[in-house]
Amino acid sequence: EDQVTQSPEALRLQEGESSSLNCSYTVSGLRGLFWYRQDPGKGPEFLFTLYSAGEEKEKERLKATLTKKESFLHITAPKPEDSATYLCAVQAGTASKLTFGTGTRLQVTL
Amino acid sequence: KAGVTQTPRYLIKTRGQQVTLSCSPISGHRSVSWYQQTPGQGLQFLFEYFSETQRNKGNFPGRFSGRQFSNSRSEMNVSTLELGDSALYLCASSLDGGVGNIQYFGAGTRLSVL
């Protein structure tokens, strides 16, 4: 059974204090790893898709990387508007369903 | 381009009742997936529809069902509601549900069962 574990559960950063969120996975036949951002009361918003180990993608202050066992979401010089829950999900085998981790709740303070 | 639209946004029901939730996908998207989100379990896959056919199903009881119409709009139904069905129900659409397709989510329907 596909498993996704995210750490830490919660993270509090000061504005400008860079950090990384971890997503470790156990799947048979990874086809894609997805990062989403979810704000309170809203649905998940797509950030990145990574397909193979060694791949990296960047968007503004966020950078996602992928190895054979885990993915990292690096946040450089975060701002208060980056506060949200960050969700990691995997797609494996031939099914299109996403298996999600429980998320990292990020709070960025001034 | 309009995003995924879910209606209603909020619902309050009592145990034993049934409920129907609606999802309109992004224009041109033919695959619709449903997820249940709870504080304890996170997001869990319910089922996926493509071309009016259920293509994948998660580990939920038969009380949870869905359908898709020819215009790709989808509905999910929960019968004989239980307290534990209280959750945020999210719909996601993708181009054709193929592996690697990005799934775009709606804002969800918050269901409270009393």
Side-chain angles (χ1 to χ4, degrees), chain B residues 16-41:
Chain B
Q17 287 188 309
Q18 75 165 18
V19 67
T20 299
L21 313 181
S22 180
C23 172
S24 293
I26 292 171
S27 178
H29 284 194
R30 296 169 61 199
S31 169
V32 173
S33 296
W34 289 88
Y35 294 83
Q36 180 195 66
Q37 186 174 31
T38 58
Q41 300 293 321

Side-chain angles (χ1 to χ4, degrees), chain A residues 31 36 38 41 43 51 91 96 98, chain B residues 35 37 48 97 99-100 103 106:
Chain A
R31 303 300 295 272
Y36 287 86
Q38 186 174 26
Y51 295 105
Q91 205 174 52
S96 63
L98 294 174
Chain B
Y35 294 83
Q37 186 174 31
E48 183 220 355
V99 172
Q103 294 186 24

Side-chain angles (χ1 to χ4, degrees), chain A residues 4 19 37:
Chain A
V4 180
S19 188
R37 167 195 170 125

